Amino acid sequence: MESFITFKTAMLPIASMPELLLILLIVASVAVRSQTEKEFLALKEEEIQLQLLDRERISNLMEYAEELQSKVEVLKRFAEAKRTPLQAAKGREEEYLSNPLHSFRLIRHMHEDWRHVEKFMRQPVGQDQINFFKERANELPSKEDADDATEAIYRIIRTYDVPPEELVQGLIDGVRYNGSISAIDCFSLGTLHFEWGKYEKAVDWLNHSLTLLKPEYNSVYNVLGFTSSEVHMLLARCYVEMDQEEDARSTLLSHPTLSQHSERLLTLYNNTRHVPVSADLQPLLPDKFNQICRSSHQNKPSRLHCRYNGTTSPFLRLAPLRMEELSLDPYIVVYHNVLTDAEIAKVEQIAEPLLEHSSVYVAEIKKAIKSKVRTALGAWIPDSDMDASGWTVVQGLHRRIRDITGLNINEQQHMQIIKYGYGGHYDPHFDYFNATVKNTLASGDRMVTVLFYLNDARHGGSTVFTHLKLKVPSERGKVLFWYNMRGESHELDTQTVHGACPVIHGTKSVMSCWIHELDQMFIQPTYRRNNRTLFHKMVEHQQG
């Protein structure tokens, strides 16, 4: 079963992959996993290597099948040769065996030939190919990788409201992709919806799985433990959870091997109700956020302007930047063509070796953890392990941020590189902490966000401000800049709630930098009403 589904943009759908070879390939694999963690969703290099390995394994499988076929042909020829005299003797066995030649051949054949045949049958076939599978098994995706891939497709399905019949045709959010999914893939998605308590959606995916079952592959499905009865049973459980017992009964009765057990299964399902996975372990993906992410959403026309900014720093008087106003309350602007291709390539070069699963800060436990809220890879620069040339890059970025914002930035200020693979997203959130943590004690809260876009997200991946119903596409070289606090009062601005839409095609890379309150103490007031306690803690921390 293929858990990693790669789509390539096209205008027409194609037939699904040859499932027989793929399924036999998986059956031949062993459940051994490498301790080296791989990232197949966001790092295309590793996914390409996985695809190359898939080609090697299929070629190896074909060699194995050819060896098996060769052995089968030998056995068939032997059987046909020995069947001929038996057919000639049928009905006149005594007369036939009266011939001494026939008697001799029968006795010798029964004594010698069958022993050699048995020995031949016991000889292993394709041992080299089997060893190849074993030796390369540690390069295969783990169960966690497969789960991540299924959840990534789930985020795309839910955010962009993709029904089963459209996904099977490769149609996602108005774009048709050159690819498809199988009955087993639909069953995996139905299972995930069931586990997360989305029973109505699970019913849709399970029913579609049944429509995609191919009778000619039934024997292969049986080898994999995937049968129509398994789909029917999970479908019936969904109906029971939805309190539609008659539909559950009809589902079980419609299957020949389940019909006689239908009442017993219904009793079991009613007595052991399903407990969905905790909401904390699921992506949030609120409806308002999803609707803005979709291609059907268009930003409302405004009277805001595009202009060249040459005032926030002396350098911009010589080389003004093209600025587009998106909102005045809160203040949000976009600068275009800020980074060159060479600068972006350098940032990616120093950040790529440092990427690891990103985490989010949870105020209740006062620590950063890996969470379903954000599904991406992340790295911080500057970093002690980065390439030495990275320091020059960081200093140049700091200067660019000062030019754009007109604000002070600490020379030691870290920037975060985030890379999203397909389905990668960030649920709606605020950039400010609004909590007493190490960062806010030292520098105050995050007053300003500066977000650099390092590539074009071909489809999906926009930044959306849900309160403002504003969508900003990911476009290479531009910078999104906004205030998280209101004017001189520095009250936290709840209108800045924003998120990253799931990426559909390709990847999305961004770099975030946050400018803090206390770094602006000589150019802007940093005291916030009702926050005197936090201010005193900051002072005590710095004096201590």
Side-chain angles (χ1 to χ4, degrees):
M1 175 190 326
E2 186 171 68
S3 297
F4 294 81
I5 307 167
T6 302
F7 293 109
K8 296 182 179 178
T9 307
M11 296 308 297
L12 294 173
I14 63 171
S16 61
M17 58 192 167
E19 293 182 27
L20 180 58
L21 284 178
L22 182 63
I23 294 171
L24 288 174
L25 174 64
I26 299 301
V27 171
S29 303
V30 294
V32 181
R33 293 288 177 253
S34 170
Q35 296 302 314
T36 304
E37 185 176 2
K38 293 181 179 291
E39 176 50 57
F40 297 105
L41 299 187
L43 299 182
K44 289 303 169 188
E45 296 81 1
E46 293 193 355
E47 198 168 17
I48 289 171
Q49 289 300 316
L50 188 66
Q51 189 178 57
L52 292 175
L53 177 62
D54 194 28
R55 289 177 182 170
E56 288 185 56
R57 292 175 75 88
I58 290 175
S59 296
N60 191 71
L61 183 63
M62 290 301 296
E63 293 175 9
Y64 179 73
E66 288 169 3
E67 288 201 22
L68 285 176
Q69 187 62 36
S70 176
K71 185 171 184 176
V72 168
E73 292 298 329
V74 170
L75 293 173
K76 280 185 175 181
R77 283 197 296 271
F78 172 81
E80 288 298 329
K82 299 307 174 185
R83 181 182 295 170
T84 301
L86 293 178
Q87 289 176 337
K90 190 173 183 180
R92 58 186 192 94
E93 286 78 3
E94 184 175 351
E95 177 189 352
Y96 182 86
L97 292 174
S98 296
N99 186 324
L101 297 180
H102 294 163
S103 296
F104 164 70
R105 290 187 63 186
L106 175 63
I107 295 170
R108 187 213 56 80
H109 153 66
M110 293 298 291
H111 172 69
E112 295 181 7
D113 292 351
W114 281 115
R115 293 184 181 184
H116 290 296
V117 169
E118 181 182 354
K119 183 178 179 181
F120 179 72
M121 292 173 65
R122 290 180 182 276
Q123 288 176 356
V125 178
Q127 195 60 48
D128 290 342
Q129 289 79 21
I130 294 173
N131 289 338
F132 172 84
F133 284 144
K134 291 180 179 179
E135 291 165 3
R136 304 291 296 276
N138 62 338
E139 300 176 38
L140 296 176
S142 65
K143 183 181 183 304
E144 183 181 2
D145 292 326
D147 290 343
D148 287 345
T150 306
E151 291 175 15
I153 287 293
Y154 167 86
R155 291 189 292 271
I156 291 174
I157 289 169
R158 178 166 171 190
T159 300
Y160 300 100
D161 193 25
V162 185
E165 57 271 19
E166 291 186 2
L167 190 67
V168 167
Q169 296 175 12
L171 183 61
I172 304 176
D173 193 40
V175 176
R176 189 174 296 280
Y177 289 88
N178 186 16
S180 183
I181 61 173
S182 68
I184 300 177
D185 297 321
C186 285
F187 180 70
S188 294
L189 289 168
T191 301
L192 180 66
H193 280 85
F194 173 80
E195 292 297 336
W196 285 1
K198 320 293 184 184
Y199 303 118
E200 290 185 14
K201 293 293 184 182
V203 166
D204 292 340
W205 288 98
L206 294 171
N207 275 322
H208 218 77
S209 177
L210 291 174
T211 65
L212 293 177
L213 282 172
K214 298 181 178 181
E216 61 269 31
Y217 288 147
N218 280 343
S219 60
V220 180
Y221 293 149
N222 287 332
V223 170
L224 289 176
F226 174 72
T227 61
S228 59
S229 61
E230 188 176 11
V231 184
H232 277 79
M233 285 190 291
L234 187 56
L235 188 56
R237 286 198 69 184
C238 290
Y239 283 130
V240 168
E241 297 301 329
M242 296 162 61
D243 295 323
Q244 297 178 17
E245 188 164 326
E246 282 308 309
D247 289 325
R249 180 177 284 104
S250 298
T251 299
L252 294 172
L253 289 173
S254 67
H255 195 278
T257 62
L258 298 177
S259 58
Q260 59 183 328
H261 307 292
S262 59
E263 293 306 319
R264 182 175 61 83
L265 287 171
L266 283 175
T267 301
L268 175 64
Y269 297 159
N270 276 303
N271 292 340
T272 56
R273 286 299 183 112
H274 177 248
V275 179
V277 170
S278 170
D280 295 338
L281 300 177
Q282 302 181 31
L284 184 60
L285 299 175
D287 289 340
K288 189 174 182 180
F289 168 79
N290 295 340
Q291 290 167 5
I292 300 172
C293 286
R294 294 166 192 162
S295 59
S296 58
H297 174 86
Q298 299 295 321
N299 293 336
K300 290 183 178 180
S302 72
R303 297 182 180 180
L304 302 179
H305 303 289
C306 294
R307 58 186 173 87
Y308 281 94
N309 177 11
T311 61
T312 53
S313 74
F315 176 76
L316 290 191
R317 295 173 189 169
L318 300 174
L321 291 172
R322 186 157 63 94
M323 185 182 82
E324 178 184 356
E325 294 174 338
L326 301 181
S327 171
L328 297 180
D329 182 24
Y331 185 67
I332 305 175
V333 297
V334 162
Y335 286 89
H336 295 274
N337 303 317
V338 174
L339 294 181
T340 66
D341 288 346
E343 288 172 321
I344 291 174
K346 193 61 182 177
V347 170
E348 292 177 333
Q349 177 187 340
I350 62 176
E352 195 82 9
L354 306 173
L355 290 172
E356 57 185 18
H357 285 289
S358 64
S359 57
V360 296
Y361 179 80
V362 180
E364 291 77 9
I365 60 176
K366 295 187 177 181
K367 63 184 296 187
I369 61 171
K370 182 181 175 182
S371 169
K372 301 288 186 184
V373 168
R374 177 164 64 183
T375 47
L377 300 179
W380 293 90
I381 59 172
D383 183 273
S384 58
D385 293 330
M386 74 179 183
D387 185 272
S389 62
W391 292 100
T392 303
V393 176
V394 169
Q395 291 168 1
L397 292 169
H398 283 170
R399 285 194 298 270
R400 199 69 55 87
I401 293 169
R402 291 191 198 97
D403 292 337
I404 290 172
T405 65
L407 299 172
N408 291 333
I409 181 170
N410 192 309
E411 292 292 342
Q412 303 302 315
Q413 177 64 47
H414 284 75
M415 292 168 286
Q416 188 179 33
I417 286 82
I418 296 292
K419 189 166 187 177
Y420 299 90
Y422 86 86
H425 86 302
Y426 197 171
D427 276 331
H429 62 283
F430 301 105
D431 276 1
Y432 52 73
F433 285 101
N434 193 26
T436 304
V437 297
K438 182 179 179 180
N439 287 347
T440 58
L441 285 173
S443 304
D445 217 328
R446 294 170 171 176
M447 187 176 78
V448 163
T449 297
V450 182
L451 183 65
F452 293 81
Y453 293 95
L454 305 181
N455 75 328
D456 295 316
R458 299 177 189 176
H459 192 187
S462 295
T463 304
V464 301
F465 293 83
T466 52
H467 183 83
L468 305 174
K469 297 183 180 179
L470 176 66
K471 177 164 63 178
V472 183
S474 174
E475 296 170 336
R476 183 181 179 89
K478 80 178 184 184
V479 175
L480 184 61
F481 160 47
W482 73 87
Y483 275 85
N484 297 306
M485 298 179 183
R486 301 183 65 85
E488 295 183 356
S489 70
H490 281 228
E491 292 293 328
L492 301 177
D493 195 337
T494 57
Q495 296 181 99
T496 60
V497 60
H498 63 285
C501 300
V503 174
I504 299 174
H505 187 194
T507 61
K508 169 189 172 183
S509 295
V510 297
M511 178 175 64
S512 298
C513 181
W514 294 279
I515 299 177
H516 294 262
E517 293 177 278
L518 294 186
D519 292 331
Q520 319 311 315
M521 66 172 60
F522 296 115
I523 60 174
Q524 287 193 15
T526 57
Y527 166 68
R528 296 204 307 275
R529 185 181 50 176
N530 300 327
N531 206 22
R532 188 178 300 274
T533 302
L534 176 58
F535 178 78
H536 283 308
K537 286 184 178 180
M538 293 175 185
V539 174
E540 291 170 3
H541 177 77
Q542 291 174 344
Q543 290 176 346

